Amino acid sequence: MSTIKHYFRFILLVIFQSCLTLCLTAQTFGNYLIKDLSTAEWEFSEFNVGNWLKANVPGTVHTDLLYNKKIKDPYYRDNENKLQWIGEKNWEYKTSFNIDKQLFDKDKIDLVFEGLDTYADVFLNGTKILHANNMFRRWEIDAKTYLRIGYNELRVVFYSSVKINSEMNEKSPYKYSDTYVFTRKAAYQYGWDWGPVFITSGIWKPVYVRAWNKLRLNDVHVIQKSVSAQKALLTASCNVTSLLQQKAEVNVFCVELNKSFTRKVDLKPGVNTFEIDININSPKLWWSRGLGDPNLYTFKAEVIAEGNTKSNILKVSTGIRTVKVVQKPDSLGKSFYVELNGVPVFMKGADYIPLDMFPPRATDSLYRFTIKQAVMANMNMLRVWGGGFYENDIFYDLCDKNGILVWQDFMFACAMYPGTADFLENVKAEATENIIRLRNHPCIALWCGNNENYIGWKDWAWSKPYSKADSAQLWHDYEKLYEHLLPELVEKYDSGKFYWPSSPKYGWGYPVNTDGDVHYWGIWHDEEPFECFDKNENIGRFMSEYGFQGMPEMKSIKEFTLPEDRNIKTEVMKLHQKHRVGFPVIDKYMGWYYKWPKDFESYVYVSQLVQSKGIGLAIETHRRSMPHCMGTLYWQLNDLYPVTSWSSIDMYGRWKALHYRIKELYQDYMVTVHREGNMLRVYVVSDKLKDTPLQLEVKMTDFNGKEHFKKNLNVMVKANTSKPYYEIHIDSLLGAKRKPKWMLESKHVVRVKLMENTNTLTENLFYFTEPKDLLLSKPQITLKELRRENDEYILELSTNKLAKNVFLTLDETDVFFSNNYFDLLPGDNYIIRCKSNKTITDLDKKIQVRSLVDTYYSE
C-alpha cells in the first residue's frame, strides 16, 4: 500500500478518534464566538431504524459505515456493486451540545452548515428549522429562539436523492435522460466514464454556532480598478451587517505594506456596503508559473463601532494582476487566449476532477500533494470541471500560491437542466455564494456556464427524443440559465471577469479551428488515429479537452484486486474500467502502434505508453501551433477511484508514463521535430518573455549509438513564440544509404537538444516509424547507485543499445523517480534521482528495470 494511502487513512482515523474525545468549547474572537459542532459526538442511523453508530462530521454515510466496519472498502474488487443500497436509503444524524450563558447572551446566534449533502431537514430541540436542497450552498439559520442555555439536541435527516430524482422526473412534463439534473449535487457521484456510482449523503462540511453583538463583517471584496507596473488602484468593498443605527470605523490593514486604510461610516440596521480606496505604488504583480512570482497581498479588515464594539476580523489574500480572455478577429475567425498583465500566455494544464468519491476524505495534505504534481509537471492552468463541486478554499489558495490559473466551471455537466422558477432561484443562491467566495482569488481566470451541455444539444442529438414544442422549451430553459442568469451574476458580483457560456463551443467531426474552445474526442470516441491530432482542422484556438486512457501501474492494480482478477476480461477489471468500450478501444490503438504484449503486466505497461504517445503528440502539436492555438488542457489530471482512465496520475498518487511526458513537454522551452512531407522541421517553442541566444543540436544515430548526422546551430529564440529554426530533407539523412529506406527508418533516431552553453534546457527524440516497426534488440542496461543526498538516491543508467521506454519500479516501498518510461541511448550516462523517506539498502540491486522489448521479447 502506498505511503500516500497510508497517510491518508491515518489522518482520517485521527480525526475520527478526535471527534470522540475533544471537549466542545467556544472560541472567542473579540465580539465573536464560534462553537464548533463538528467536534461534537455525532451518531447516525438509517432513518427510523434506531441502530445508532458513531459518526464523523464532516463526513458521509458511506465513510461512516466503513469506519464502523459495517461495509468493506468501497473501492476494493467488486464492492461497488454490493453497496448501491446505501444511496437508496434515508439517514439521520444527531448530536447534543451545551450553550453557556456567555454565548446565549449575544445579540445574534446563527447555526451554520457549510455544506449539507443534499436533501435534508434540520431539527433543533425538536423544531424543524431548515429544509436544505443544495449540496453547493452554505446554510445559515437564525437560531437564538430555538436554543436554550445548557443542553441542546440537533438532528439532521437526509433523504435519498435517488428516490427524489425519480419522483421529480415522473412529475416532469418531459422526461430527462439523466435524472441527476433535478438535484443540486455533485453529478459525478451518479457515475461517470472514469468513476463509480456512490450516491452520498451527510454533513460534508463543518457545522458551528456563531454568536455576535451589534455588527458583523460579512465579506471584503478587493476590487482592482487600475493596475500597471507603476501603480495599482484598489478598492476594498466591505459588506457589514448592523443590528442598529451606529457610527463605526472600517479598518483595512495591508500586511505587506504595514499600512492601514480607514473610513468613518454611519451604519444603518441591516446590510451596509462601504468602499475604501487603496493605492499601491510599484505593486508586485501576480504571475502564473514560469513567468514570474505569484506575489500575494494580505488584507485584514475589521469594523469598530461605538463603545469599542469590534466585529470579526476577515483576512483576504489576493494577487494584483489583470487577466482577460482575448477574442480578436483574424483571418480564420477569432482568437481565444488568456492575457495576464498584458501578456498573451499559452495555457498548459489539465482538467481536474474531485479528489475522492467521498469529498470529506480529501485531506489538506492530499490537496497539497495534488497541486504539487501539477507544479512539478510545469502546468499553469487547471480546469475545475462542472460535474464535481466548487472546490474547497485550500484548492484555490494553493493555485494562488503556485501561480496556477483556474478555468472555473459552474456545476452543470453533460445534460439539459430544468428551468423552473424554484430551480433557478436555488441556482441563483448557489452561484452568488460561490462567486463571492472565489472572486478575490487571483487564480480565477474565467467562469464557464457548463460542461458540454451546448455541444450535446447541438451535435449529439439530445433533442431527438423530444417533440418540437418540448425541444423549444428545453432550449429556452438552457438560455435562461447560461445566457442570462449566470452571466448576470458574474457581472454583478465579479464585474469584468470573462464568462463563457459552455465548454466547448466545438466538438469534432468538422473543422474546429475558427474560434472558441474545443473538446476534441475524435481520438478515442471516433477511434481516429493519433495522427489526426496533427490535422489543421482539428487544432482549435484553445483545446480544453482531449484524452486517451491508460491503466494504473501493476503496483496500483494489486491494491484493489486479487491475483485471479488481473486480466482485462475478468469482472473485477471490467468494473474498474468505466467506459463502455474501454478495453476494446485501447486494444485497437495498441495494435496500431505497438507489438502485442505477451502478458497482462506487459499490457498494463504498454497501455501507458499508448496513452503517453497519443497525448504527447497532441501537446506537441498544440504548442507548436501557437499563436493560432493558445491553450492545451488534457483530460484528466487525477483519479478519485482505482480505475483505467484518462488520468496522468492514478488514485494512489503514482505517475503514469503520461505525467512524465507532460513534465517534459510543458517546460518553458519545448523543442520538437515535425515531419512535413519529405522535410523534417525543428521547432522551438518559448514561453519566455525575452529573446534568448541558445544553441540547437540536431543529431541522428542508429540504435547501437553510431552517429550518422550532426548539426549545431546558434539560434536567437524569439520570446513567446513557436518557430522552425532548422529543416532538412529526409533523404539527406537516409537517402545516401544503400539499405531500403524502410529499414533505415526503423533503426535510426533523431535527437534534438536546446542548450544554453553546456546546459541542456530540453530535448526530444524523433523516430521515423511506429514503435511496433522499430528494429529493437534486447539491451544490456546497467544501473548503479552513485550516492545519497538527504532523502534522494542518485542513480546512473547506461545501455549498449537503444532501450526504449525504460521503466523503473521497486516492490519494497513507494519511491519517486525523477524520470521514468524514458528512452535510453547508447553513450549516455543517464542520471535519475530516486526519492524515498526510507533507507533502502542495495537499492540498485532491488530496482526492477524493463524496456519495451521485454513486453514481447524472450531469450
Side-chain angles (χ1 to χ4, degrees):
M1 189 178 295
S2 72
T3 304
I4 295 165
K5 192 175 179 186
H6 270 308
Y7 183 68
F8 184 45
R9 291 187 170 177
F10 170 76
I11 290 294
L12 290 168
L13 181 60
V14 169
I15 293 172
F16 180 72
Q17 292 172 337
S18 297
C19 286
L20 306 182
T21 59
L22 280 177
C23 179
L24 201 63
T25 57
Q27 293 178 284
T28 303
F29 302 95
N31 167 49
Y32 223 57
L33 286 176
I34 296 290
K35 188 177 189 70
D36 184 7
L37 300 186
S38 302
T39 55
E41 293 188 4
W42 286 88
E43 295 179 302
F44 81 109
S45 170
E46 185 181 339
F47 184 55
N48 280 340
V49 172
N51 184 19
W52 295 98
L53 301 167
K54 295 293 185 182
N56 203 9
V57 173
T60 70
V61 171
H62 289 76
T63 49
D64 285 333
L65 289 168
L66 178 63
Y67 301 147
N68 282 280
K69 299 182 179 179
K70 298 299 179 181
I71 62 173
K72 295 182 179 179
D73 183 355
Y75 290 177
Y76 188 64
R77 300 194 75 225
D78 60 351
N79 286 346
E80 176 194 350
N81 293 337
K82 303 169 184 176
L83 301 177
Q84 293 308 303
W85 61 272
I86 300 171
E88 299 168 0
K89 302 288 186 180
N90 299 331
W91 299 89
E92 181 176 4
Y93 281 69
K94 69 177 183 179
T95 191
S96 61
F97 58 95
N98 289 317
I99 293 291
D100 60 25
K101 189 175 185 303
Q102 180 192 12
L103 189 148
F104 191 79
D105 286 345
K106 293 291 185 181
D107 297 336
K108 193 82 159 54
I109 306 177
D110 305 313
L111 177 61
V112 182
F113 290 90
E114 294 285 348
L116 292 169
D117 179 13
T118 292
Y119 294 106
D121 287 335
V122 177
F123 300 85
L124 182 56
N125 293 325
T127 301
K128 180 179 172 180
I129 61 172
L130 172 70
H131 174 70
N133 61 352
N134 192 321
M135 179 183 181
F136 309 128
R137 289 176 62 181
R138 179 196 301 111
W139 301 96
E140 300 185 3
I141 309 103
D142 187 346
K144 183 160 185 175
T145 57
Y146 307 105
L147 288 165
R148 54 197 176 210
I149 296 175
Y151 181 83
N152 292 266
E153 279 190 339
L154 181 61
R155 291 173 52 238
V156 185
V157 178
F158 292 96
Y159 304 100
S160 168
S161 65
V162 178
K163 293 180 179 179
I164 292 175
N165 288 340
S166 179
E167 291 168 1
M168 294 180 77
N169 204 32
E170 285 300 314
K171 295 175 183 176
S172 174
Y174 28 77
K175 301 298 180 283
Y176 291 84
S177 57
D178 296 294
T179 60
Y180 65 74
V181 299
F182 293 102
T183 297
R184 298 308 298 141
K185 174 177 172 60
Y188 77 95
Q189 294 176 343
Y190 294 89
W192 226 263
D193 55 7
W194 38 258
V197 177
F198 288 121
I199 302 171
T200 60
S201 59
I203 306 170
W204 77 290
K205 286 190 174 183
V207 53
Y208 51 89
V209 173
R210 179 182 65 205
W212 47 281
N213 286 332
K214 293 187 179 180
L215 74 165
R216 174 174 175 260
L217 180 57
N218 304 311
D219 179 67
V220 177
H221 181 200
V222 180
I223 303 168
Q224 303 186 21
K225 292 189 170 181
S226 175
V227 174
S228 69
Q230 291 74 39
K231 179 172 284 191
L233 304 180
L234 314 179
T235 294
S237 178
C238 302
N239 184 279
V240 184
T241 296
S242 178
L243 300 181
L244 68 159
Q245 184 93 21
Q246 54 186 325
K247 294 184 180 296
E249 181 180 270
V250 182
N251 183 295
V252 178
F253 176 73
C254 180
V255 174
E256 287 71 21
L257 299 179
N258 192 28
K259 183 177 180 180
S260 290
F261 302 84
T262 61
R263 177 182 171 183
K264 304 285 187 181
V265 299
D266 291 319
L267 294 172
K268 297 178 181 179
V271 177
N272 303 258
T273 300
F274 303 101
E275 294 186 346
I276 298 178
D277 291 333
I278 300 172
N279 298 337
I280 300 178
N281 294 322
S282 302
K284 295 181 178 180
L285 300 183
W286 187 92
W287 288 98
S288 59
R289 196 219 62 80
L291 296 184
D293 293 329
N295 297 296
L296 296 173
Y297 286 82
T298 301
F299 299 92
K300 295 180 180 180
E302 182 181 31
V303 183
I304 304 173
E306 296 169 320
N308 201 36
T309 301
K310 296 182 179 180
S311 75
N312 54 308
I313 297 174
L314 286 185
K315 186 172 79 169
V316 173
S317 289
T318 193
I320 298 175
R321 70 356 177 196
T322 61
V323 61
K324 60 179 72 173
V325 174
V326 178
Q327 295 181 281
K328 187 193 304 187
D330 59 23
S331 60
L332 281 174
K334 287 191 294 186
S335 64
F336 192 102
Y337 65 86
V338 174
E339 183 184 277
L340 181 65
N341 298 325
V343 176
V345 183
F346 190 98
M347 293 292 101
K348 303 175 293 186
D351 297 286
Y352 165 95
I353 64 172
L355 295 178
D356 200 288
M357 281 304 300
F358 313 111
R361 288 208 306 191
T363 62
D364 288 358
S365 62
L366 183 58
Y367 275 102
R368 284 190 287 269
F369 172 84
T370 303
I371 298 303
K372 183 179 179 182
Q373 309 318 298
V375 172
M376 290 174 68
N378 302 304
M379 296 184 188
N380 61 10
M381 177 173 269
L382 292 173
R383 172 174 170 248
V384 177
W385 169 72
F389 54 87
Y390 305 94
E391 264 298 346
N392 294 327
D393 291 340
I394 187 173
F395 173 86
Y396 303 99
D397 290 341
L398 289 167
C399 289
D400 289 345
K401 293 173 183 176
N402 287 283
I404 295 179
L405 287 159
V406 172
W407 172 311
Q408 179 65 53
D409 281 3
F410 286 98
M411 293 302 117
F412 303 91
C414 298
M416 301 301 281
Y417 284 75
T420 62
D422 287 347
F423 185 86
L424 293 179
E425 195 61 31
N426 196 0
V427 169
K428 181 179 180 180
E430 162 199 322
T432 297
E433 179 183 318
N434 283 287
I435 294 169
I436 290 172
R437 178 170 69 94
L438 301 181
R439 63 189 176 184
N440 282 318
H441 288 280
C443 65
I444 300 292
L446 66 111
W447 296 93
C448 180
N450 66 71
N451 173 78
E452 297 186 343
N453 298 2
Y454 172 84
I455 202 73
W457 188 258
K458 293 296 185 183
D459 279 9
W460 301 343
W462 286 2
S463 61
K464 191 173 182 180
Y466 301 104
S467 68
K468 186 175 181 181
D470 287 348
S471 291
Q473 183 59 50
L474 283 164
W475 182 249
H476 180 61
D477 290 345
Y478 177 97
E479 291 182 315
K480 282 193 294 185
L481 181 52
Y482 307 115
E483 301 287 350
H484 297 288
L485 177 62
L486 292 178
E488 288 167 5
L489 292 173
V490 169
E491 179 57 29
K492 181 177 181 179
Y493 295 107
D494 197 11
S495 181
K497 192 68 61 65
F498 182 79
Y499 172 82
W500 189 238
S502 181
S503 180
K505 184 172 184 180
Y506 297 114
W508 66 94
Y510 49 84
V512 299
N513 57 351
T514 55
D515 62 312
D517 71 316
V518 176
H519 291 191
Y520 177 58
W521 286 101
I523 277 83
W524 185 268
H525 286 303
D526 279 1
E527 300 178 12
E528 297 172 353
F530 288 147
E531 290 71 28
C532 288
F533 277 128
D534 197 26
K535 291 185 177 179
N536 288 335
E537 62 266 28
N538 296 331
I539 306 171
R541 312 312 292 263
F542 194 107
M543 304 298 293
S544 51
E545 266 195 36
Y546 57 93
F548 196 87
Q549 285 193 349
M551 298 182 75
E553 66 172 88
M554 277 301 298
K555 185 179 282 189
S556 294
I557 290 173
K558 290 175 181 178
E559 301 218 32
F560 65 88
T561 63
L562 293 173
E564 57 265 32
D565 302 326
R566 294 164 196 161
N567 184 302
I568 62 171
K569 296 182 179 180
T570 65
E571 291 306 311
V572 168
M573 289 307 300
K574 288 179 182 177
L575 186 64
H576 290 260
Q577 161 60 277
K578 295 300 180 180
H579 194 273
R580 64 189 184 282
V581 291
F583 286 128
V585 174
I586 293 173
D587 290 352
K588 176 175 283 190
Y589 282 82
M590 194 176 288
W592 284 346
Y593 298 106
Y594 290 85
K595 292 183 178 178
W596 194 252
K598 64 185 180 183
D599 53 30
F600 177 69
E601 187 166 352
S602 298
Y603 182 95
V604 169
Y605 160 77
V606 176
S607 80
Q608 291 200 18
L609 303 186
V610 178
Q611 180 191 35
S612 177
K613 175 180 173 62
I615 304 309
L617 172 60
I619 291 170
E620 287 189 72
T621 299
H622 300 157
R623 292 198 69 190
R624 189 182 66 246
S625 300
M626 72 178 294
H628 168 81
C629 177
M630 284 297 287
T632 182
L633 309 178
Y634 67 91
W635 186 272
Q636 67 213 57
L637 173 66
N638 57 306
D639 272 332
L640 47 69
Y641 173 78
V643 66
T644 297
S645 84
W646 293 270
S647 73
S648 59
I649 305 172
D650 72 24
M651 193 210 78
Y652 303 98
R654 299 185 179 109
W655 288 23
K656 297 180 184 178
L658 174 59
H659 207 72
Y660 284 100
R661 186 66 174 143
I662 296 292
K663 178 185 175 184
E664 295 174 349
L665 296 178
Y666 278 176
Q667 293 180 89
D668 294 339
Y669 293 107
M670 184 189 79
V671 60
T672 179
V673 179
H674 188 228
R675 188 170 189 164
E676 301 173 14
N678 287 320
M679 300 297 294
L680 293 186
R681 288 192 170 89
V682 181
Y683 286 76
V684 177
V685 181
S686 172
D687 290 336
K688 296 291 188 180
L689 302 184
K690 292 182 179 180
D691 297 351
T692 310
L694 298 173
Q695 297 80 48
L696 180 65
E697 178 183 280
V698 182
K699 182 166 71 172
M700 187 182 77
T701 64
D702 60 31
F703 294 170
N704 292 318
K706 184 178 179 181
E707 183 181 302
H708 295 274
F709 176 86
K710 185 174 182 180
K711 182 76 172 180
N712 290 95
L713 304 97
N714 292 315
V715 294
M716 179 64 72
V717 177
K718 294 295 182 180
N720 210 14
T721 61
S722 168
K723 181 182 173 183
Y725 286 85
Y726 181 71
E727 64 179 40
I728 187 170
H729 200 285
I730 291 176
D731 287 347
S732 298
L733 290 172
L734 301 173
K737 310 294 181 181
R738 295 182 179 179
K739 294 181 180 179
K741 190 173 182 179
W742 67 266
M743 182 177 292
L744 294 169
E745 289 188 339
S746 64
K747 59 190 300 184
H748 287 84
V749 59
V750 176
R751 175 156 69 179
V752 287
K753 285 186 179 182
L754 189 67
M755 297 174 289
E756 188 170 35
N757 300 320
T758 59
N759 179 38
T760 298
L761 300 176
T762 186
E763 63 178 81
N764 214 336
L765 298 176
F766 172 81
Y767 293 92
F768 294 92
T769 190
E770 302 303 343
K772 70 176 183 179
D773 297 320
L774 296 177
L775 297 178
L776 300 175
S777 53
K778 193 167 181 66
Q780 295 177 3
I781 301 173
T782 301
L783 169 67
K784 61 181 179 180
E785 180 183 334
L786 299 182
R787 62 188 180 278
R788 184 175 183 183
E789 297 176 356
N790 299 319
D791 60 349
E792 287 189 331
Y793 295 85
I794 313 302
L795 309 173
E796 183 183 75
L797 290 92
S798 59
T799 182
N800 66 328
K801 302 176 185 294
L802 169 67
K804 187 128 184 51
N805 304 117
V806 174
F807 174 52
L808 310 176
T809 189
L810 182 68
D811 287 338
E812 180 178 311
T813 186
D814 263 328
V815 296
F816 177 77
F817 295 101
S818 59
N819 200 3
N820 218 339
Y821 304 92
F822 54 89
D823 290 357
L824 184 60
L825 273 59
D828 285 357
N829 293 317
Y830 200 89
I831 302 298
I832 292 286
R833 291 179 174 269
C834 174
K835 191 177 182 68
S836 174
N837 292 326
K838 297 181 179 179
T839 299
I840 306 171
T841 57
D842 298 323
L843 175 63
D844 50 353
K845 297 180 176 62
K846 293 177 179 178
I847 290 176
Q848 299 172 38
V849 183
R850 71 182 306 167
S851 68
L852 181 60
V853 293
D854 297 316
T855 65
Y856 57 84
Y857 185 96
S858 58
E859 292 180 316

